[in-house]
Amino acid sequence: MKTAKPFLKWAGGKSQLINEIENSLPQDFKKKEFTFIEPFVGSGAVMFWMLNKYPNIKKAVINDINTDLTNTYITIRNNVREVIEQLDEWQSQYHQFINDSDARKEYYYKKRALFNTRESGNVEQSSLFIFLNRTCFNGLYRVNKSNGFNVPIGSYKTPLICDEENLLVVSKLLEKVEILNGDFEDTMFHVDKDTFFYFDPPYKPLSNTSSFNSYAKDEFNDNEQIRLRDFCEKLNTNEHYWMLSNSDVKGKNPNDNFFDDLYSNFNINRVQARRSINANPDKRGKLNELLITNYTTEAEYAKAI
């Protein structure tokens, strides 16, 4: 059977960090049953990988503040056939305009305007979410202060809008996932005795022009980063494992100790990642990111023995 993978393109998606994440799991992770919680699920690259690879995950909970996103997850889980039917129709229509850029633009912007009314039923609204993700500029999700999706059309000639095979396996996998839409702290109500959290919050920008924090209408600023650290400390006190990703601001500015100070009580690892979403191709490439944990990782344990 095909392995489920993210059905969305996503800024900051973690597919290219999977090896580093695997090496950074707790050293006893495979030895007992865990509850897996991801409070900022985004495209779900880590969630899909974890559930595919580790049958010892007995329960999975995902959350995101983005209601359009979580509704799409729920609709794919509950009504995947209807979503596939709608996307297949739109894909055929969109591909007809391959040599007519004006007609293609008109089609895209009509779909964007319809999405922003948020008056459609769950199937159509979720299908619009996927359609826009597959056809907009670089698969970027960005909204304005009024929560209006405002990304322009992309330049893809024949984008894969309806990936039927993957959507079917995603739907099957999501049957065992609880899907929440709220603040990251609310996930505390879903912990079990052995719980592993993976945090992938909106990254602290490396510069004034590199922010993707307009992912939601409310900005995830430094105060929110501090609130997340406080939540991680609470989880640590309650003996729950957690791993957190974020940007390495110190790599951009050696005097910027924001995260080094914030997480000074925990293990901070710098790993190489590839950024693929940038308007300027010259600015795409490898750079360091942070993987922060509150436990001894499998890699560290292997070195010690």
Side-chain angles (χ1 to χ4, degrees):
M1 185 177 179
K2 187 177 178 181
T3 300
K5 63 182 182 182
F7 56 90
L8 299 168
K9 299 180 179 184
W10 213 249
K14 288 295 167 291
S15 295
Q16 30 77 21
L17 264 189
I18 290 297
N19 287 341
E20 298 287 356
I21 289 170
E22 183 171 20
N23 290 334
S24 299
L25 289 173
Q27 55 94 5
D28 61 346
F29 188 79
K30 300 172 188 172
K31 297 176 183 176
K32 52 187 175 181
E33 289 187 333
F34 271 93
T35 291
F36 173 73
I37 299 180
E38 188 167 0
F40 304 89
V41 69
S43 66
V46 173
M47 179 265 295
F48 287 121
W49 169 75
M50 294 282 283
L51 292 182
N52 285 320
K53 186 173 179 67
Y54 296 104
N56 56 310
I57 294 176
K58 62 178 180 178
K59 173 182 164 186
V61 179
I62 60 174
N63 174 76
D64 208 280
I65 197 70
N66 185 328
T67 305
D68 296 314
L69 174 65
T70 55
N71 284 347
T72 301
Y73 274 107
I74 291 168
T75 306
I76 288 176
R77 183 185 64 190
N78 299 343
N79 303 98
V80 68
R81 292 287 180 184
E82 291 92 330
V83 172
I84 288 169
E85 185 178 339
Q86 182 67 86
L87 288 175
D88 187 53
E89 177 186 336
W90 290 346
Q91 178 172 274
S92 297
Q93 293 170 354
Y94 193 73
H95 287 182
Q96 286 177 1
F97 302 131
I98 189 169
N99 295 316
D100 189 343
S101 60
D102 289 339
R104 175 169 279 203
K105 284 180 181 177
E106 182 182 2
Y107 188 90
Y108 172 86
Y109 288 110
K110 278 185 177 178
K111 288 283 187 281
R112 194 179 78 171
L114 179 60
F115 174 80
N116 282 333
T117 67
R118 291 183 171 80
E119 294 176 353
S120 301
N122 288 338
V123 169
E124 184 174 36
Q125 196 67 25
S126 298
S127 300
L128 285 166
F129 186 93
I130 297 171
F131 170 84
L132 293 171
N133 177 263
R134 307 303 292 185
T135 57
C136 74
F137 174 75
N138 266 344
L140 183 61
Y141 187 87
R142 185 186 64 204
V143 294
N144 58 28
K145 294 294 184 183
S146 302
N147 202 32
F149 179 77
N150 61 3
V151 181
I153 190 171
S155 58
Y156 312 106
K157 295 295 184 185
T158 55
L160 179 60
I161 296 166
C162 181
D163 188 349
E164 178 177 359
E165 187 178 8
N166 185 54
L167 286 171
L168 288 171
V169 292
V170 164
S171 177
K172 186 69 178 173
L173 184 124
L174 290 176
E175 288 177 2
K176 56 184 178 183
V177 178
E178 186 163 358
I179 303 167
L180 310 176
N181 172 225
D183 186 76
F184 64 84
E185 290 198 60
D186 295 341
T187 57
M188 176 67 92
F189 300 114
H190 297 265
V191 298
D192 287 323
K193 178 176 177 290
D194 294 309
T195 300
F196 175 77
F197 282 79
Y198 174 66
F199 294 99
D200 184 24
Y203 276 20
K204 182 173 169 61
L206 294 175
S207 68
N208 291 334
T209 59
S210 67
S211 174
F212 286 112
N213 285 356
S214 48
Y215 162 77
K217 60 186 176 66
D218 300 313
E219 184 182 5
F220 201 89
N221 56 24
D222 285 358
N223 288 334
E224 290 294 283
Q225 298 284 1
I226 293 167
R227 185 166 70 93
L228 176 56
R229 187 280 314 273
D230 293 343
F231 183 65
C232 287
E233 290 190 333
K234 189 186 303 182
L235 293 178
N236 186 66
T237 300
N238 291 333
E239 299 184 339
H240 299 303
Y241 288 149
W242 55 261
M243 180 193 303
L244 180 143
S245 300
N246 218 310
S247 55
D248 183 14
V249 293
K250 196 175 180 68
K252 182 78 172 178
N253 175 4
N255 296 317
D256 191 339
N257 294 310
F258 182 82
F259 287 119
D260 291 77
D261 291 341
L262 203 60
Y263 289 96
S264 59
N265 293 329
F266 302 107
N267 305 311
I268 301 175
N269 299 297
R270 287 175 163 84
V271 298
Q272 274 212 329
R274 177 175 289 278
R275 287 280 174 87
S276 58
I277 293 182
N278 195 301
N280 183 350
D282 295 334
K283 292 184 179 180
R284 301 173 192 167
K286 290 185 177 179
L287 74 169
N288 280 345
E289 291 189 8
L290 302 179
L291 276 184
I292 305 170
T293 62
N294 71 328
Y295 53 78
T296 301
T297 68
E298 189 161 336
E300 289 166 342
Y301 180 74
K303 285 180 186 176
I305 59 174

